[in-house]
């Protein structure tokens, strides 16, 4: 590749794919960005500067990657598709310092990867146009590892974006929203039309900014927090009292008492509880379990 092709031009992208014998693979959620303006907006929102440590997940054909490399960031990209890695290696030849890793991001031990590969005193920024099909498990895995980034600039299909930042009472509010709200402060930056991807997906996307927040619980309490949140939302039509009695072998009187101490109405449904209430209920239940079981 003698000069950098404009990857956001559908015609150029198509011919690049042809020359590498590639085709978009639906099962890998491959919808490539073909709008230079959106690429710029994402990178500007992350305020990427020379020397920043940045990890990009799913670089694809490099629409975001080339522009990230141009900032002089200390960049590592993780891509599962070997064909695209071939293309990326050629495309990123002018930036040999960019680390291109063939990796299924669902199998990453983030703490280990970060420790081994990037020495960044200022922390690490995570940037991705995420493949739709792995968005939720991917985010759960990051939260399990305590979201080890200073900021995440992440594009999701709209429905997942809304689930992540939903508030109590919203239709989309669920386990993913509570877990996301516990580990991070999330806001939607902007919507992205489905017309700026090739191939065009069925629905539009949205870009979120997630920033880690101070965690209220200890590591051990957090294990119980996940259990309670997931257990409650598995049966979201049940009252929280019924969910508690399914999860813990205590009398209903005792459970009512625990809920009241956590300022949670026993007849409430899980979608009415805030992140704070889930955290408080976890702490009180944890203390009770430590004392009596
Ligand atoms: N960043 C590119 C862009 O914006 O044009 C491509 C985004 S595309 C929505 C998602 C990318 O994630 C694809 O390149 C796909 O191959 C990659 N991908 C899918 N599943 C993956 C996984 N489990 N691990 C790593 N990369 C994955």
């Amino acid at each position: 590749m003698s000069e950098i092709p404009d990857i956001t031009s559908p015609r150029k992208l198509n011919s690049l794919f042809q020359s590498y014998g590639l085709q978009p693979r639906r099962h890998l959620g491959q919808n490539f960005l073909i709008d230079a303006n959106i690429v710029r907006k994402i990178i500007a929102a992350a305020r990427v500067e020379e020397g920043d440590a940045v990890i990009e997940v799913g670089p694809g054909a490099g629409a975001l990657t080339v522009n990230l490399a141009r900032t002089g960031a200390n960049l590592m990209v993780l891509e599962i598709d070997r064909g695209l890695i071939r293309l990326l290696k050629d495309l990123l030849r002018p930036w040999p310092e960019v680390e291109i890793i063939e990796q299924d991001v669902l199998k990453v031990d983030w703490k280990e990867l970060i420790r081994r590969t990037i020495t960044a005193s200022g922390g690490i920024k995570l940037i991705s146009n995420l493949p739709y099909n792995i968005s939720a498990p991917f985010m759960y895995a990051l939260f399990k590892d305590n979201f080890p980034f200073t900021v995440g600039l992440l594009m999701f299909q709209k429905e997942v974006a809304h689930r992540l930042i939903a508030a109590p009472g919203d239709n989309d509010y669920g386990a993913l929203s509570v877990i996301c709200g516990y580990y991070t402060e999330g806001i939607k930056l902007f919507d992205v039309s489905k017309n700026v991807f090739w191939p065009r997906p069925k629905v539009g996307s949205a870009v979120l900014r997630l920033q880690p927040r101070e965690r209220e619980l200890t590591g051990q309490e957090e294990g119980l927090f996940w259990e309670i949140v997931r257990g409650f939302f598995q049966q979201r039509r049940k009252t929280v009292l019924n969910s508690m009695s399914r999860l813990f072998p205590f009398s209903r009187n005792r459970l009512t008492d625990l809920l009241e101490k956590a300022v949670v109405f026993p007849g409430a449904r899980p979608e009415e509880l805030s992140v704070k209430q889930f955290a408080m209920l976890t702490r009180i239940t944890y203390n009770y379990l430590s004392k009596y079981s």
Side-chain angles (χ1 to χ4, degrees), residues 51-63:
D52 280 355
V54 177
I55 293 182
E56 188 195 357
V57 163

Side-chain angles (χ1 to χ4, degrees), residues 279-292:
M280 176 78 91
L281 180 59
T282 301
R283 168 149 299 155
I284 286 167
T285 309
Y286 184 86
N287 286 343
Y288 189 80
L289 283 168
S290 316
K291 237 195 216 152
Y292 297 107

Side-chain angles (χ1 to χ4, degrees), residues 28-33 56 58-60 63-64 78-81 84 103-106 129-131 134:
L28 292 178
Q30 291 182 352
N31 300 99
F32 301 97
L33 261 173
E56 188 195 357
L64 289 161
L78 309 173
E79 171 61 59
I80 199 171
D81 186 326
L84 286 174
Q103 174 71 52
D104 178 351
V105 290
L106 292 181
N129 167 16
L130 278 163
I134 64 160

